[in-house]
């Protein structure tokens, strides 16, 4: 075989393994298209680093370590570099199960030490002030936007979970909402009185929009053209309303989810219950809220106790 043919074969094999792995993510793990795309970008980046003659079977931990050093040297953040390494680990773990390789070279490389950065969570007073007040006058669809805030904070939903709710997912008789989380896992979350009232006020207006546009939508949240609302649109709506109410411009949908977990913990909810409501796979993820609560308590102490000054 000529060197050119060997190189072409190596490229073809490397691509085949990546494509097979991505197919597994989609069909067996129910990974979202964003997750699949992230894996594809990470693996292609390593292939560019390793060169056109890449053979996954001959990659060793020193090559992976060199790749990580190059990413960091080129200014990539530690969290992004850690994700790139995690993608390689997952890929090699899959190849090991499929019998394509005998060892996982990425497993021998340490993950970059990440700074422990806790998100800033609005206080209960700030959230209540936001939810209890009339929305800004320039709000495009006030009734719908109130539903957005009530569900994000009142149910602790992810942005993707919120836009995925259909009208049929609301069980009015039991005050529950069916939510599809990561990996398409379903869970039922309680529908609070405030959120239920906001939805009931919004539904007739939603129907009016659909009729005027002669459209049908199964999605609960729609735009003024009758189409389903996107996660990007939700992000813009949340930020614009928060800024108009004097809150941080860093406010985004996940901030309200963090607030849901932290505030429930402050009010005495146990971690297991919060884990179930948020749909966390691991309790360790939920335990972050103990740190958020501790940070809030420290700020209150520093600001109010006479001996703290």
């Amino acid at each position: 075989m000529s060197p050119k043919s060997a190189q072409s074969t190596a490229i073809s094999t490397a691509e085949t393994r990546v494509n097979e792995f991505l197919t597994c993510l989609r069909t067996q793990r129910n990974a979202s298209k964003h997750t699949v795309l992230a894996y594809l970008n990470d693996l292609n980046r390593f292939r560019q680093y390793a060169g056109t003659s890449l053979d996954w079977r001959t990659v060793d931990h020193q090559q992976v370590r060199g790749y990580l050093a190059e990413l960091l040297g080129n200014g990539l953040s530690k969290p992004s570099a850690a994700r790139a390494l995690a993608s390689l680990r997952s890929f090699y773990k899959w190849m090991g199960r499929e019998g394509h390789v005998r060892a996982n070279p990425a497993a021998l490389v340490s993950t970059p030490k990440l700074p422990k950065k806790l998100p800033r969570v609005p206080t209960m007073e700030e959230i209540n002030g936001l939810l209890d007040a009339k929305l800004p006058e320039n709000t495009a669809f006030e009734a719908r936007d109130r539903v957005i805030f009530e569900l994000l904070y009142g149910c602790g939903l992810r942005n993707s979970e919120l836009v995925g709710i259909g009208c049929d997912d609301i069980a009015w008789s039991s005050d529950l909402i069916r939510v599809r989380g990561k990996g398409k896992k379903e869970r039922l979350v309680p529908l609070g009185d405030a959120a239920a009232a906001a939805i009931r006020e919004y539904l007739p207006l939603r129907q009016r929009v659909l009729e005027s546009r002669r459209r049908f939508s199964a999605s609960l949240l729609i735009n003024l053209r009758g189409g389903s609302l996107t996660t990007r649109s939700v992000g813009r709506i949340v930020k614009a309303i928060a800024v108009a109410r004097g809150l941080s411009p860093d406010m985004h949908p996940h901030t309200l989810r963090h607030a849901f977990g932290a505030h429930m913990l402050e009010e005495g909810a146990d971690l297991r219950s919060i884990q179930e409501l948020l749909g966390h796979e691991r309790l360790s993820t939920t335990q972050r809220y103990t740190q958020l609560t501790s940070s809030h308590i420290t700020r209150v102490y520093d600001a109010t106790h006479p001996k703290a000054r």
Side-chain angles (χ1 to χ4, degrees), residues 54-127:
L54 168 66
D55 184 340
W56 295 113
R57 297 169 299 180
T58 61
V59 173
D60 59 23
H61 70 279
Q62 291 180 332
Q63 192 173 7
V64 176
R65 187 176 289 122
Y67 165 65
L68 198 62
E70 180 171 294
L71 292 179
L72 294 170
N74 289 337
L76 192 69
S77 67
K78 285 185 176 181
S80 296
R83 193 197 71 183
L85 178 60
S87 295
L88 271 179
R89 283 177 180 163
S90 296
F91 177 56
Y92 267 100
K93 188 175 181 180
W94 169 82
M95 284 205 294
R97 288 199 303 267
E98 296 295 315
H100 299 311
V101 296
R102 293 183 178 179
N104 186 342
L108 301 175
V109 180
S110 300
T111 301
K113 191 172 183 180
L114 303 178
K116 290 185 178 180
K117 186 178 179 181
L118 296 174
R120 196 271 179 186
V121 173
T123 64
M124 291 185 199
E125 291 75 15
E126 288 173 327
I127 293 292

Side-chain angles (χ1 to χ4, degrees), residues 122-124 127-128 131 147-157 253 255-261 263-264:
T123 64
M124 291 185 199
I127 293 292
N128 287 333
L131 296 179
V147 170
I148 289 174
F149 276 87
E150 291 290 355
L151 289 179
L152 286 173
Y153 177 68
C155 300
L157 303 184
T255 308
L256 296 169
R257 177 172 162 86
H258 285 316
F260 170 90
H263 295 171
M264 284 200 68

Side-chain angles (χ1 to χ4, degrees), residues 2 24 53-54 60 73 88 95 108 118 147 154 171 173 195 226 229 236 245 287-288:
S2 67
C24 174
S53 59
L54 168 66
D60 59 23
L88 271 179
M95 284 205 294
L108 301 175
L118 296 174
V147 170
S173 60
L229 210 61
R236 286 197 295 264
R245 286 286 167 239
Q287 286 172 332
R288 289 180 304 170

Side-chain angles (χ1 to χ4, degrees), residues 19 21-32 36 184:
N19 289 334
F21 172 62
L22 298 179
T23 299
C24 174
L25 289 177
R26 283 190 292 263
T27 60
Q28 298 180 26
R29 302 189 195 176
N30 291 321
S32 69
V36 172
K184 298 183 180 178

Side-chain angles (χ1 to χ4, degrees), residues 239-250:
K239 182 173 183 176
I241 292 176
V243 170
R245 286 286 167 239
L247 297 180
S248 170
D250 293 332

Side-chain angles (χ1 to χ4, degrees), residues 41-277:
N41 291 337
D42 287 338
L43 295 174
N44 280 344
R45 183 183 287 171
F46 181 79
R47 289 179 60 198
Q48 290 174 358
Y49 167 81
T52 55
S53 59
L54 168 66
D55 184 340
W56 295 113
R57 297 169 299 180
T58 61
V59 173
D60 59 23
H61 70 279
Q62 291 180 332
Q63 192 173 7
V64 176
R65 187 176 289 122
Y67 165 65
L68 198 62
E70 180 171 294
L71 292 179
L72 294 170
N74 289 337
L76 192 69
S77 67
K78 285 185 176 181
S80 296
R83 193 197 71 183
L85 178 60
S87 295
L88 271 179
R89 283 177 180 163
S90 296
F91 177 56
Y92 267 100
K93 188 175 181 180
W94 169 82
M95 284 205 294
R97 288 199 303 267
E98 296 295 315
H100 299 311
V101 296
R102 293 183 178 179
N104 186 342
L108 301 175
V109 180
S110 300
T111 301
K113 191 172 183 180
L114 303 178
K116 290 185 178 180
K117 186 178 179 181
L118 296 174
R120 196 271 179 186
V121 173
T123 64
M124 291 185 199
E125 291 75 15
E126 288 173 327
I127 293 292
N128 287 333
L130 178 64
L131 296 179
D132 294 342
K134 184 177 175 60
L135 295 184
E137 292 182 0
N138 60 348
T139 303
F141 198 161
E142 182 179 350
R144 178 205 61 192
D145 295 350
R146 185 166 295 282
V147 170
I148 289 174
F149 276 87
E150 291 290 355
L151 289 179
L152 286 173
Y153 177 68
C155 300
L157 303 184
R158 299 179 178 92
N159 195 347
S160 58
E161 294 172 345
L162 174 72
V163 299
I165 294 175
C167 292
D168 292 341
D169 291 323
I170 303 174
W172 292 105
S173 60
S174 53
D175 292 327
L176 294 171
I177 301 180
R178 182 188 298 108
V179 175
R180 294 163 187 83
K182 290 185 176 180
K184 298 183 180 178
K185 293 180 181 177
E186 292 188 0
R187 70 183 189 278
L188 293 173
V189 297
L191 178 64
D193 292 343
I199 294 173
R200 285 194 172 96
E201 182 180 340
Y202 158 69
L203 286 177
L205 302 176
R206 171 188 177 277
Q207 185 60 31
R208 197 177 303 166
V209 170
L210 291 174
E211 289 175 355
S212 67
R213 296 290 182 171
R214 297 181 180 179
R215 297 188 65 173
F216 168 81
S217 176
S219 300
L220 174 65
L221 299 174
I222 62 170
N223 56 39
L224 290 173
R225 297 182 301 278
S228 299
L229 210 61
T230 65
T231 55
R232 184 171 295 182
S233 295
V234 170
R236 286 197 295 264
I237 291 166
V238 168
K239 182 173 183 176
I241 292 176
V243 170
R245 286 286 167 239
L247 297 180
S248 170
D250 293 332
M251 175 82 82
H252 50 82
H254 218 71
T255 308
L256 296 169
R257 177 172 162 86
H258 285 316
F260 170 90
H263 295 171
M264 284 200 68
L265 193 62
E266 285 180 33
E267 292 297 296
D270 63 275
L271 281 174
R272 287 290 181 187
S273 298
I274 298 173
Q275 177 190 11
E276 190 74 19
L277 290 168

